[in-house]
Amino acid sequence: MMYRMRKYSVILVMFSLCVGLLLSCKDRAKSNKGSEDILTGKLPVLVDQTLLPIIKESADVFESSYPNSSLEIMARPEIKAVNALLSDSAYVIVLTRKLNSQEEDYFKKRGFSLKYSRWLPMP
């Protein structure tokens, strides 16, 4: 009698663990679908019109390497791209110049650090 009760208790505990595991996996799969990180999701990028062909090719290579990502490349004049960055309507811009001291000061006052990447022409 005692052996039979222990057997049913073990079966009940194992069944409960399996059901809990299946339910937790189901919730995790749903939550990962809507999440975005550095390699998934969609990112709008404002690009100086003169750099558009180069950036489009780079974006195509990036998107082929990371199929869950999408870069929305939009050509804008330099001043409109900078204004969009200053007004928080853009988070990434690609320009042919560095920001001037007034533009840099604006971001430093707000606690942002700017990142510059310099592309050197191939010899």
Side-chain angles (χ1 to χ4, degrees):
M1 180 86 166
M2 185 72 134
Y3 175 72
R4 209 157 101 179
M5 287 180 69
R6 186 180 296 166
K7 182 179 172 183
Y8 289 128
S9 328
V10 169
I11 290 173
L12 183 62
V13 168
M14 294 299 284
F15 179 74
S16 299
L17 286 174
C18 289
V19 169
L21 182 65
L22 289 174
L23 290 176
S24 69
C25 290
K26 183 179 175 183
D27 291 340
R28 188 174 299 148
K30 283 183 181 177
S31 66
N32 285 343
K33 287 182 183 177
S35 65
E36 293 186 1
D37 61 20
I38 194 167
L39 299 177
T40 60
K42 187 173 186 177
L43 177 67
V45 178
L46 299 181
V47 178
D48 186 353
Q49 293 171 333
T50 59
L51 299 173
L52 185 63
I54 298 168
I55 299 302
K56 275 194 174 181
E57 286 181 20
S58 299
D60 290 341
V61 171
F62 180 82
E63 289 173 350
S64 68
S65 298
Y66 302 101
N68 294 332
S69 67
S70 173
L71 296 175
E72 184 182 350
I73 307 298
M74 297 176 283
R76 298 286 188 271
E78 180 181 288
I79 191 68
K80 287 187 178 183
V82 171
N83 287 339
L85 184 65
L86 292 173
S87 67
D88 288 337
S89 59
Y91 298 107
V92 177
I93 63 172
V94 180
L95 302 174
T96 57
R97 66 170 179 91
K98 289 178 79 171
L99 296 178
N100 63 35
S101 60
Q102 291 174 337
E103 295 163 344
E104 283 184 358
D105 289 341
Y106 173 78
F107 289 106
K108 288 179 183 175
K109 287 178 187 175
R110 295 186 62 200
F112 291 101
S113 62
L114 299 174
K115 296 180 183 178
Y116 292 101
S117 296
R118 184 173 177 185
W119 289 7
L120 298 174
M122 305 260 313

